[in-house]
């Protein structure tokens, strides 16, 4: 819907080689569609859990919305977590797939994956850090290109307001961390409520540096993209 409303407007901005690069709403939609169909091609089913272990960057947003579109649930992990803390979230959520940012984050998964029987797929955002036992983000997009668009439309149509979209884990200061299970209806209601306050306007750019594993950063992401503004990473 955002792609149809805002088209060529910049949805995201990030630096490549010191220069700002824009990603339009149309480009965002295309990337998310291809990645979501890639997840479908892997066999990810509605209600499955998919984790994201990365700093805040455009690929986090791609992975997040692709997971939602496939009908699956994002179980977010802070990029500062230790291997043991990553294991807790991956094991507790029963994640079948995890998006990792780079070699540093991949090493954490490698250290604990032997004790993660549900984990089947590791998808790496940085192309140079993918290896023979992982899937690069581009390879996942290519897999999605081989699937019919109708499959994704069926997945999206099957998402109800009561369907879970996010498992957000607490900090664990009162050990163990608790998984807050949030629904699509919950975040739709929060986003709509914030829009009535005119916090972010269509022509504005919001600089997002909070970890996207955090509830506030996620609602900022939803709000900005729903009103047609721009996220700068």
């Amino acid at each position: 819907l955002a792609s149809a409303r805002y088209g060529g407007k910049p949805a995201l901005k990030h630096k490549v080689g010191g220069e700002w690069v824009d990603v339009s709403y149309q480009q965002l939609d295309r990337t998310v569609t291809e990645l979501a169909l890639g997840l479908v091609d892997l066999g990810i089913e509605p209600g499955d859990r998919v984790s994201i272990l990365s700093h805040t960057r455009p690929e986090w947003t791609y992975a997040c919305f692709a997971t939602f579109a496939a009908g699956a649930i994002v179980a977010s992990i802070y990029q500062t977590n230790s291997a043991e803390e990553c294991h807790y979230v991956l094991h507790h959520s029963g994640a079948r797939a995890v998006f990792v940012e780079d070699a540093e984050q991949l090493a954490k998964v490698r250290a604990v994956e032997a004790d993660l029987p549900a984990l089947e797929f590791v998808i790496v955002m940085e192309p140079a850090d993918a290896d023979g036992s992982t899937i690069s983000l581009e390879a996942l997009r290519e897999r999605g290109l081989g699937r019919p668009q109708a499959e994704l439309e069926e997945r999206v149509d099957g998402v109800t307001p009561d369907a879970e979209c996010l498992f957000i884990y607490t900090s664990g200061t009162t050990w163990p961390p608790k998984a807050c299970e949030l629904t699509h209806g919950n975040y739709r209601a929060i986003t709509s409520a914030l829009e009535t306050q005119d916090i972010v306007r269509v022509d504005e750019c919001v600089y997002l540096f909070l970890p996207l594993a955090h509830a506030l950063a996620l609602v900022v992401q939803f709000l900005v993209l729903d009103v047609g503004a721009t996220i700068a990473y």
Side-chain angles (χ1 to χ4, degrees):
L1 292 176
S3 174
R5 287 198 300 264
Y6 309 122
K9 285 193 59 185
L12 317 175
K13 295 170 70 75
H14 63 114
K15 280 193 172 182
V16 177
E19 298 293 331
W20 285 103
V21 174
D22 288 351
V23 177
S24 71
Y25 277 86
Q26 290 171 336
Q27 291 171 316
L28 174 60
D29 179 65
R30 183 165 62 250
T31 299
V32 167
T33 295
E34 292 168 2
L35 289 174
L37 285 169
L39 291 173
V40 171
D41 194 65
L42 291 180
I44 298 298
E45 297 289 343
D48 282 347
R49 273 74 66 197
V50 175
S51 282
I52 307 175
L53 174 58
S54 169
H55 286 79
T56 294
R57 55 187 289 168
E59 290 84 357
W60 211 111
T61 298
Y62 301 155
C64 176
F65 283 102
T67 300
F68 291 165
I73 301 166
V74 171
S76 60
I77 308 177
Y78 284 101
Q79 76 275 7
T80 53
N81 277 14
S82 67
E84 292 74 20
E85 290 168 329
C86 292
H87 174 269
Y88 181 87
V89 174
L90 291 166
H91 188 271
H92 185 269
S93 67
R96 290 188 61 203
V98 58
F99 288 87
V100 300
E101 181 173 18
D102 52 19
E104 178 185 356
Q105 303 298 348
L106 175 60
K108 298 176 185 178
V109 175
R110 288 281 183 255
V112 298
E113 64 183 342
D115 191 32
L116 294 169
L119 185 65
E120 300 174 55
F121 309 106
V122 180
I123 303 149
V124 183
M125 296 176 183
E126 288 288 346
D129 293 334
D131 58 37
S133 60
T134 63
I135 304 167
S136 71
L137 206 65
E138 283 307 308
L140 187 63
R141 288 187 67 172
E142 289 172 10
R143 293 182 71 132
L145 288 170
R147 310 288 301 205
Q149 178 75 25
E151 285 189 284
L152 189 61
E153 293 170 359
E154 183 179 351
R155 290 289 183 99
V156 172
D157 290 343
V159 174
T160 66
D162 290 336
E164 293 170 330
C165 66
L166 283 163
F167 289 176
I168 298 181
Y169 282 79
T170 59
S171 64
T173 52
T174 56
W175 187 260
K178 317 301 188 297
C180 303
E181 302 177 9
L182 302 177
T183 65
H184 285 270
N186 170 275
Y187 262 100
R188 178 65 267 172
I190 291 172
T191 302
S192 296
L194 289 172
E195 287 177 14
T196 66
Q197 303 303 307
D198 204 25
I199 296 169
V200 178
R201 300 176 183 177
V202 65
D203 293 323
E204 293 181 330
C205 180
V206 176
Y207 178 53
L208 183 60
F209 62 91
L210 285 173
L212 271 164
H214 192 282
L216 177 57
L218 281 164
V219 79
V220 168
Q221 173 187 251
F222 297 148
L223 175 64
V224 172
L225 295 178
D226 205 52
V227 304
T230 305
I231 299 173
Y233 298 82

